[in-house]
Amino acid sequence: MGCEISPSTVRTLRQGLKKHDTCLKCNRKARVLLPYGPQKFCEKHFVELIEKRFRKTVRRYSLIKPAEKLIVAVSGGKDSLTALYLTKKFFGESNRITALLIDEGIRGYRDKALKLASKNCDEWNIPYKVVKFKDEFGLTMGSIYKKIKRAKVNLGSPCAFCGTLRRTVMNRYAKRLHADKLITGHNLDDELQSILMNACDNDLARFLRCGPVSGIKSFKQFVQRIKPLCEIPENEIMLYADYVGIEYHSGYCCPFRGEAKRNAYRRLIDSLEEQYPGTKFSLWNFYMQIKPLLLKSKAFDGFALNECKRCGEPSTAELCDTCRKLALLRKL
Ligand code: SF4
Ligand code: ZN
Protein backbone atom coordinates (compact mmCIF):
# COMPACT_ATOMS: atom_id res chain seq x y z
CA MET A 1 0.00 0.00 0.00
CA GLY A 2 1.01 3.60 0.27
CA CYS A 3 0.84 4.51 -3.36
CA GLU A 4 -1.74 4.79 -6.04
CA ILE A 5 -1.09 2.96 -9.25
CA SER A 6 -0.37 5.16 -12.19
CA PRO A 7 -3.43 6.33 -14.12
CA SER A 8 -1.82 4.75 -17.18
CA THR A 9 -2.60 1.36 -15.65
CA VAL A 10 -6.25 2.31 -15.80
CA ARG A 11 -5.79 3.41 -19.38
CA THR A 12 -4.93 -0.20 -20.19
CA LEU A 13 -8.58 -0.99 -19.46
CA ARG A 14 -9.45 1.10 -22.48
CA GLN A 15 -6.68 0.04 -24.81
CA GLY A 16 -7.77 -2.15 -27.70
CA LEU A 17 -11.33 -0.81 -27.75
CA LYS A 18 -12.54 -0.10 -31.26
CA LYS A 19 -14.77 2.78 -32.22
CA HIS A 20 -17.91 0.69 -32.69
CA ASP A 21 -17.42 -1.81 -29.85
CA THR A 22 -20.50 -2.25 -27.72
CA CYS A 23 -21.14 -3.42 -24.18
CA LEU A 24 -21.58 -7.13 -23.56
CA LYS A 25 -24.83 -6.45 -21.70
CA CYS A 26 -26.46 -3.69 -23.77
CA ASN A 27 -25.99 -1.81 -26.98
CA ARG A 28 -24.28 1.17 -25.47
CA LYS A 29 -20.76 2.10 -26.53
CA ALA A 30 -18.14 0.06 -24.69
CA ARG A 31 -15.86 2.05 -22.40
CA VAL A 32 -13.92 -0.74 -20.71
CA LEU A 33 -12.10 -3.74 -22.08
CA LEU A 34 -11.15 -6.47 -19.65
CA PRO A 35 -8.41 -8.32 -21.57
CA TYR A 36 -8.72 -11.56 -19.56
CA GLY A 37 -12.30 -12.13 -20.83
CA PRO A 38 -12.02 -10.52 -23.14
CA GLN A 39 -15.15 -8.62 -22.20
CA LYS A 40 -16.33 -5.14 -23.02
CA PHE A 41 -18.62 -3.04 -20.89
CA CYS A 42 -20.27 0.34 -20.86
CA GLU A 43 -19.78 2.44 -17.73
CA LYS A 44 -23.06 1.34 -16.12
CA HIS A 45 -22.47 -2.37 -16.61
CA PHE A 46 -18.84 -2.15 -15.49
CA VAL A 47 -20.03 -0.56 -12.24
CA GLU A 48 -22.60 -3.35 -11.88
CA LEU A 49 -19.93 -5.98 -12.49
CA ILE A 50 -17.67 -4.65 -9.72
CA GLU A 51 -20.56 -4.42 -7.26
CA LYS A 52 -21.63 -7.94 -8.15
CA ARG A 53 -18.07 -9.21 -7.53
CA PHE A 54 -17.91 -7.47 -4.17
CA ARG A 55 -21.18 -9.06 -3.06
CA LYS A 56 -20.20 -12.44 -4.45
CA THR A 57 -16.94 -12.44 -2.47
CA VAL A 58 -18.82 -11.50 0.71
CA ARG A 59 -21.35 -14.31 0.10
CA ARG A 60 -18.91 -16.97 -1.04
CA TYR A 61 -16.69 -16.67 2.03
CA SER A 62 -19.46 -15.63 4.47
CA LEU A 63 -17.55 -12.45 5.30
CA ILE A 64 -20.38 -10.36 6.74
CA LYS A 65 -23.40 -11.46 8.77
CA PRO A 66 -26.45 -9.30 9.54
CA ALA A 67 -26.17 -7.10 12.66
CA GLU A 68 -22.40 -7.50 12.95
CA LYS A 69 -20.54 -4.35 13.89
CA LEU A 70 -18.09 -3.51 11.13
CA ILE A 71 -14.98 -1.38 11.36
CA VAL A 72 -13.48 -0.30 8.05
CA ALA A 73 -9.80 0.69 8.10
CA VAL A 74 -9.46 3.73 5.85
CA SER A 75 -6.27 5.29 4.55
CA GLY A 76 -7.88 7.75 2.16
CA GLY A 77 -6.74 5.87 -0.95
CA LYS A 78 -9.02 4.39 -3.59
CA ASP A 79 -9.12 0.85 -2.16
CA SER A 80 -10.09 1.57 1.42
CA LEU A 81 -12.56 4.27 0.40
CA THR A 82 -14.12 1.93 -2.15
CA ALA A 83 -14.38 -0.77 0.53
CA LEU A 84 -16.09 1.75 2.80
CA TYR A 85 -18.41 2.99 0.05
CA LEU A 86 -19.48 -0.52 -0.98
CA THR A 87 -19.90 -1.68 2.62
CA LYS A 88 -22.14 1.29 3.32
CA LYS A 89 -24.06 0.79 0.07
CA PHE A 90 -24.83 -2.91 0.62
CA PHE A 91 -24.63 -3.34 4.39
CA GLY A 92 -25.46 0.13 5.68
CA GLU A 93 -29.00 -0.95 6.58
CA SER A 94 -28.22 -4.32 8.15
CA ASN A 95 -24.95 -3.52 9.97
CA ARG A 96 -23.40 -0.76 12.08
CA ILE A 97 -20.34 0.70 10.36
CA THR A 98 -17.51 2.85 11.73
CA ALA A 99 -14.44 3.97 9.81
CA LEU A 100 -11.01 3.81 11.44
CA LEU A 101 -8.64 6.42 10.04
CA ILE A 102 -5.03 5.60 10.86
CA ASP A 103 -2.48 8.40 10.82
CA GLU A 104 1.03 6.96 10.66
CA GLY A 105 2.56 10.43 10.73
CA ILE A 106 3.81 10.76 7.17
CA ARG A 107 3.81 14.49 6.63
CA GLY A 108 2.54 15.81 3.32
CA TYR A 109 1.11 12.42 2.46
CA ARG A 110 -1.16 10.78 5.01
CA ASP A 111 -2.46 14.06 6.44
CA LYS A 112 -3.84 14.98 3.01
CA ALA A 113 -5.30 11.51 2.47
CA LEU A 114 -7.03 11.53 5.84
CA LYS A 115 -8.61 14.91 5.16
CA LEU A 116 -10.27 13.38 2.12
CA ALA A 117 -11.23 10.27 4.07
CA SER A 118 -12.97 12.25 6.80
CA LYS A 119 -14.71 14.40 4.19
CA ASN A 120 -16.10 11.25 2.55
CA CYS A 121 -17.19 9.83 5.91
CA ASP A 122 -19.11 13.03 6.63
CA GLU A 123 -20.74 12.98 3.20
CA TRP A 124 -21.70 9.30 3.52
CA ASN A 125 -22.86 9.77 7.07
CA ILE A 126 -20.42 7.25 8.52
CA PRO A 127 -18.96 7.84 12.01
CA TYR A 128 -15.18 7.72 12.17
CA LYS A 129 -12.32 7.61 14.62
CA VAL A 130 -8.82 8.95 13.90
CA VAL A 131 -5.92 7.12 15.56
CA LYS A 132 -2.34 8.39 15.40
CA PHE A 133 0.86 6.34 15.65
CA LYS A 134 2.28 9.25 17.67
CA ASP A 135 -0.38 8.81 20.37
CA GLU A 136 -0.24 5.02 20.35
CA PHE A 137 3.51 4.44 20.19
CA GLY A 138 5.11 7.86 20.79
CA LEU A 139 6.63 7.67 17.30
CA THR A 140 5.62 8.71 13.80
CA MET A 141 6.63 6.95 10.61
CA GLY A 142 8.73 10.04 9.88
CA SER A 143 10.78 9.53 13.05
CA ILE A 144 10.93 5.75 12.56
CA TYR A 145 12.28 6.28 9.05
CA LYS A 146 15.05 8.53 10.36
CA LYS A 147 16.00 5.97 13.01
CA ILE A 148 16.13 3.18 10.42
CA LYS A 149 18.33 5.28 8.14
CA ARG A 150 20.71 6.19 10.95
CA ALA A 151 21.05 2.64 12.27
CA LYS A 152 24.35 0.88 11.65
CA VAL A 153 22.61 -2.42 10.97
CA ASN A 154 20.05 -3.18 8.31
CA LEU A 155 16.63 -3.08 9.99
CA GLY A 156 14.64 -3.79 6.86
CA SER A 157 12.18 -1.57 5.06
CA PRO A 158 10.11 1.17 6.73
CA CYS A 159 7.04 -0.59 5.34
CA ALA A 160 7.68 -3.61 7.55
CA PHE A 161 7.52 -1.31 10.61
CA CYS A 162 4.55 0.60 9.26
CA GLY A 163 2.54 -2.52 8.43
CA THR A 164 3.20 -4.20 11.77
CA LEU A 165 2.27 -1.10 13.78
CA ARG A 166 -0.79 -0.50 11.66
CA ARG A 167 -2.05 -4.06 12.23
CA THR A 168 -1.69 -3.58 15.97
CA VAL A 169 -3.61 -0.30 15.87
CA MET A 170 -6.35 -1.88 13.76
CA ASN A 171 -6.82 -4.80 16.13
CA ARG A 172 -6.58 -2.63 19.26
CA TYR A 173 -9.27 -0.24 18.04
CA ALA A 174 -11.47 -2.91 16.53
CA LYS A 175 -11.61 -4.39 20.05
CA ARG A 176 -12.18 -1.02 21.73
CA LEU A 177 -14.98 -0.22 19.32
CA HIS A 178 -16.50 -3.69 19.91
CA ALA A 179 -16.25 -4.72 16.29
CA ASP A 180 -17.18 -8.18 15.06
CA LYS A 181 -15.19 -7.75 11.87
CA LEU A 182 -12.48 -5.44 10.62
CA ILE A 183 -12.63 -4.66 6.90
CA THR A 184 -9.53 -3.71 4.94
CA GLY A 185 -9.27 -2.55 1.34
CA HIS A 186 -6.81 -5.20 0.13
CA ASN A 187 -7.37 -5.85 -3.56
CA LEU A 188 -6.48 -8.82 -5.76
CA ASP A 189 -3.05 -7.37 -6.60
CA ASP A 190 -2.18 -6.82 -2.93
CA GLU A 191 -3.07 -10.41 -2.13
CA LEU A 192 -1.13 -11.90 -5.04
CA GLN A 193 1.95 -9.87 -4.16
CA SER A 194 1.78 -11.21 -0.59
CA ILE A 195 1.20 -14.78 -1.74
CA LEU A 196 4.17 -14.74 -4.10
CA MET A 197 6.42 -12.83 -1.72
CA ASN A 198 5.74 -15.26 1.14
CA ALA A 199 6.24 -18.23 -1.16
CA CYS A 200 9.60 -16.83 -2.29
CA ASP A 201 10.53 -16.20 1.36
CA ASN A 202 9.59 -19.80 2.18
CA ASP A 203 7.30 -18.43 4.88
CA LEU A 204 4.46 -20.92 5.05
CA ALA A 205 2.71 -19.36 8.04
CA ARG A 206 2.46 -15.95 6.38
CA PHE A 207 1.62 -17.56 3.04
CA LEU A 208 -1.40 -19.22 4.67
CA ARG A 209 -2.55 -15.96 6.22
CA CYS A 210 -3.42 -14.54 2.79
CA GLY A 211 -6.93 -14.76 1.37
CA PRO A 212 -10.35 -13.24 2.08
CA VAL A 213 -10.10 -13.80 5.84
CA SER A 214 -6.82 -12.84 7.49
CA GLY A 215 -5.22 -15.20 9.91
CA ILE A 216 -5.38 -18.92 10.38
CA LYS A 217 -6.76 -19.29 13.84
CA SER A 218 -9.47 -17.49 15.67
CA PHE A 219 -8.29 -16.08 18.97
CA LYS A 220 -10.29 -14.13 21.52
CA GLN A 221 -7.94 -11.14 21.31
CA PHE A 222 -8.02 -11.07 17.56
CA VAL A 223 -10.80 -9.36 15.59
CA GLN A 224 -11.23 -11.16 12.31
CA ARG A 225 -9.95 -9.13 9.37
CA ILE A 226 -11.88 -9.50 6.13
CA LYS A 227 -11.05 -8.34 2.61
CA PRO A 228 -14.17 -8.03 0.45
CA LEU A 229 -12.19 -6.46 -2.46
CA CYS A 230 -9.70 -9.34 -2.66
CA GLU A 231 -11.12 -10.65 -5.94
CA ILE A 232 -11.05 -7.32 -7.78
CA PRO A 233 -7.88 -6.13 -9.58
CA GLU A 234 -6.46 -2.81 -8.48
CA ASN A 235 -6.94 -0.99 -11.77
CA GLU A 236 -10.61 -2.01 -11.87
CA ILE A 237 -11.15 -0.61 -8.37
CA MET A 238 -9.57 2.65 -9.49
CA LEU A 239 -11.86 2.88 -12.49
CA TYR A 240 -14.90 1.96 -10.40
CA ALA A 241 -14.03 4.67 -7.86
CA ASP A 242 -13.73 7.20 -10.70
CA TYR A 243 -17.04 6.14 -12.24
CA VAL A 244 -19.05 6.34 -9.02
CA GLY A 245 -17.35 9.61 -8.08
CA ILE A 246 -15.39 8.64 -4.98
CA GLU A 247 -12.92 11.38 -4.14
CA TYR A 248 -9.73 9.62 -3.08
CA HIS A 249 -6.13 10.54 -2.47
CA SER A 250 -3.99 10.02 -5.55
CA GLY A 251 -1.23 11.48 -7.60
CA TYR A 252 1.81 10.83 -5.49
CA CYS A 253 3.29 8.06 -3.43
CA CYS A 254 4.28 7.61 0.16
CA PRO A 255 7.83 9.02 0.44
CA PHE A 256 9.01 5.78 2.07
CA ARG A 257 7.49 3.44 -0.46
CA GLY A 258 10.43 3.13 -2.81
CA GLU A 259 12.03 0.56 -0.59
CA ALA A 260 9.09 -1.79 -0.34
CA LYS A 261 10.01 -5.27 -1.50
CA ARG A 262 6.54 -5.83 -2.78
CA ASN A 263 7.16 -3.35 -5.60
CA ALA A 264 9.30 -5.97 -7.31
CA TYR A 265 6.47 -8.49 -7.02
CA ARG A 266 3.98 -5.92 -8.27
CA ARG A 267 6.07 -5.39 -11.42
CA LEU A 268 6.50 -9.12 -11.96
CA ILE A 269 2.80 -9.95 -11.63
CA ASP A 270 1.75 -6.99 -13.79
CA SER A 271 4.12 -8.01 -16.52
CA LEU A 272 2.85 -11.61 -16.46
CA GLU A 273 -0.74 -10.38 -16.63
CA GLU A 274 0.12 -8.17 -19.58
CA GLN A 275 1.68 -11.05 -21.50
CA TYR A 276 -0.81 -13.69 -20.41
CA PRO A 277 -4.15 -12.06 -19.51
CA GLY A 278 -5.93 -13.99 -16.78
CA THR A 279 -2.76 -14.89 -14.87
CA LYS A 280 -3.88 -12.95 -11.80
CA PHE A 281 -7.18 -14.80 -11.48
CA SER A 282 -5.48 -18.15 -12.19
CA LEU A 283 -2.91 -17.57 -9.46
CA TRP A 284 -5.63 -16.52 -7.05
CA ASN A 285 -7.78 -19.58 -7.82
CA PHE A 286 -4.74 -21.83 -7.45
CA TYR A 287 -3.99 -20.31 -4.05
CA MET A 288 -7.58 -20.70 -2.89
CA GLN A 289 -7.49 -24.38 -3.89
CA ILE A 290 -4.24 -25.25 -2.17
CA LYS A 291 -4.77 -23.23 1.02
CA PRO A 292 -7.33 -25.60 2.62
CA LEU A 293 -5.21 -28.61 1.61
CA LEU A 294 -2.09 -27.14 3.17
CA LEU A 295 -3.95 -26.21 6.35
CA LYS A 296 -4.94 -29.86 6.75
CA SER A 297 -1.59 -31.32 5.72
CA LYS A 298 1.35 -32.24 7.89
CA ALA A 299 3.44 -29.61 6.11
CA PHE A 300 1.76 -27.06 8.32
CA ASP A 301 1.50 -27.97 11.95
CA GLY A 302 -0.06 -24.70 13.04
CA PHE A 303 1.20 -22.27 15.61
CA ALA A 304 -0.10 -21.28 18.98
CA LEU A 305 -1.31 -17.74 19.56
CA ASN A 306 -0.73 -16.20 22.98
CA GLU A 307 -1.18 -12.78 24.46
CA CYS A 308 1.90 -10.60 24.18
CA LYS A 309 3.45 -10.21 27.64
CA ARG A 310 3.82 -6.49 27.18
CA CYS A 311 0.74 -5.24 25.34
CA GLY A 312 -1.70 -8.14 25.40
CA GLU A 313 -2.11 -8.28 21.61
CA PRO A 314 -2.10 -11.70 19.88
CA SER A 315 1.39 -13.06 19.35
CA THR A 316 3.15 -16.25 18.37
CA ALA A 317 6.08 -15.42 20.66
CA GLU A 318 6.43 -14.03 24.15
CA LEU A 319 6.47 -10.49 22.77
CA CYS A 320 4.46 -9.50 19.72
CA ASP A 321 6.12 -8.20 16.59
CA THR A 322 5.13 -4.62 17.40
CA CYS A 323 6.63 -4.71 20.91
CA ARG A 324 9.82 -6.27 19.54
CA LYS A 325 10.09 -3.62 16.84
CA LEU A 326 9.39 -0.78 19.29
CA ALA A 327 12.04 -2.12 21.68
CA LEU A 328 14.52 -2.17 18.81
CA LEU A 329 13.70 1.40 17.81
CA ARG A 330 13.98 2.65 21.40
CA LYS A 331 17.48 1.23 21.62
CA LEU A 332 18.62 3.27 18.62
FE1 SF4 B 1 2.63 2.17 2.92
FE2 SF4 B 1 5.20 1.69 3.40
FE3 SF4 B 1 4.32 4.21 3.28
FE4 SF4 B 1 3.59 2.68 5.33
S1 SF4 B 1 5.67 3.36 4.81
S2 SF4 B 1 2.24 4.01 4.13
S3 SF4 B 1 3.45 0.65 4.33
S4 SF4 B 1 4.35 2.71 1.59
ZN1 ZN C 1 3.04 -6.57 22.27
Side-chain angles (χ1 to χ4, degrees):
M1 65 163 285
C3 184
E4 302 305 336
I5 53 170
S6 117
S8 66
T9 316
V10 169
R11 252 179 259 134
T12 60
L13 292 173
R14 301 192 181 111
Q15 269 165 16
L17 275 177
K18 297 195 188 74
K19 208 174 161 196
H20 299 294
D21 280 344
T22 53
C23 170
L24 182 77
K25 301 269 181 188
C26 68
N27 277 329
R28 267 186 292 253
K29 186 173 163 53
R31 300 262 173 220
V32 186
L33 169 68
L34 305 180
Y36 50 79
Q39 289 167 332
K40 294 161 197 163
F41 293 100
C42 65
E43 189 174 316
K44 174 176 177 269
H45 284 111
F46 173 74
V47 166
E48 271 182 27
L49 173 87
I50 298 299
E51 295 183 349
K52 214 165 128 187
R53 269 208 222 137
F54 168 84
R55 298 173 83 179
K56 201 169 159 192
T57 302
V58 171
R59 231 183 7 253
R60 185 186 285 159
Y61 306 110
S62 308
L63 299 185
I64 298 172
K65 297 196 180 78
E68 279 182 335
K69 170 136 197 213
L70 308 171
I71 300 293
V72 185
V74 177
S75 66
K78 63 186 185 320
D79 302 307
S80 60
L81 280 170
T82 299
L84 183 64
Y85 173 88
L86 286 168
T87 305
K88 171 76 178 175
K89 179 163 182 171
F90 295 107
F91 299 97
E93 300 281 309
S94 56
N95 296 72
R96 285 162 301 145
I97 303 166
T98 301
L100 183 65
L101 279 49
I102 302 174
D103 184 355
E104 302 95 339
I106 306 172
R107 213 183 290 162
Y109 173 70
R110 186 62 80 220
D111 39 359
K112 288 185 181 160
L114 291 184
K115 253 189 208 152
L116 266 182
S118 52
K119 186 174 163 235
N120 279 307
C121 289
D122 288 337
E123 267 171 31
W124 301 338
N125 208 12
I126 298 171
Y128 65 88
K129 163 109 191 119
V130 182
V131 185
K132 295 175 189 275
F133 272 19
K134 179 84 184 146
D135 298 335
E136 296 301 309
F137 309 114
L139 292 163
T140 62
M141 266 316 290
S143 61
I144 292 174
Y145 181 77
K146 279 188 200 146
K147 280 176 182 274
I148 295 173
K149 287 283 116 185
R150 269 194 242 121
K152 293 201 172 65
V153 286
N154 181 7
L155 298 177
S157 90
C159 296
F161 284 82
C162 187
T164 302
L165 267 50
R166 195 182 322 109
R167 278 191 293 279
T168 293
V169 167
M170 286 195 297
N171 196 54
R172 194 177 280 175
Y173 277 84
K175 278 188 292 183
R176 283 189 195 162
L177 297 168
H178 308 290
D180 295 296
K181 301 274 170 64
L182 173 73
I183 296 178
T184 64
H186 288 88
N187 57 48
L188 178 67
D189 295 72
D190 294 327
E191 286 303 292
L192 296 178
Q193 288 153 18
S194 299
I195 288 167
L196 215 55
M197 201 155 69
N198 292 323
C200 292
D201 283 347
N202 188 24
D203 190 335
L204 188 57
R206 278 181 204 265
F207 177 81
L208 291 172
R209 278 184 222 161
C210 302
V213 180
S214 269
I216 301 166
K217 295 199 163 184
S218 56
F219 184 66
K220 65 177 176 6
Q221 295 288 36
F222 181 68
V223 180
Q224 205 173 49
R225 282 203 296 271
I226 56 170
K227 306 168 196 165
L229 301 185
C230 66
E231 295 183 323
I232 310 177
E234 186 174 19
N235 55 357
E236 293 179 30
I237 291 173
M238 197 177 201
L239 194 57
Y240 173 84
D242 288 342
Y243 279 164
V244 298
I246 298 173
E247 209 184 333
Y248 57 85
H249 180 248
S250 67
Y252 51 97
C253 298
C254 168
F256 310 139
R257 178 207 180 231
E259 296 161 55
K261 186 174 170 186
R262 67 171 54 239
N263 295 338
Y265 289 91
R266 174 197 290 264
R267 284 192 293 271
L268 175 67
I269 296 167
D270 280 348
S271 118
L272 286 169
E273 178 68 25
E274 210 180 313
Q275 288 178 69
Y276 311 106
T279 299
K280 288 184 183 178
F281 284 114
S282 297
L283 183 56
W284 171 257
N285 291 333
F286 179 70
Y287 175 77
M288 291 308 288
Q289 283 180 71
I290 60 161
K291 181 174 167 169
L293 301 177
L294 282 170
L295 284 173
K296 274 192 238 148
S297 85
K298 285 195 182 124
F300 178 72
D301 55 6
F303 59 84
L305 274 181
N306 309 297
E307 284 179 27
C308 167
K309 287 248 154 57
R310 196 164 291 164
C311 70
E313 285 295 310
S315 173
T316 51
E318 199 166 298
L319 287 185
C320 71
D321 209 9
T322 291
C323 285
R324 281 193 307 243
K325 282 192 162 63
L326 288 173
L328 194 68
L329 289 169
R330 281 185 193 120
K331 267 194 226 152
L332 294 173

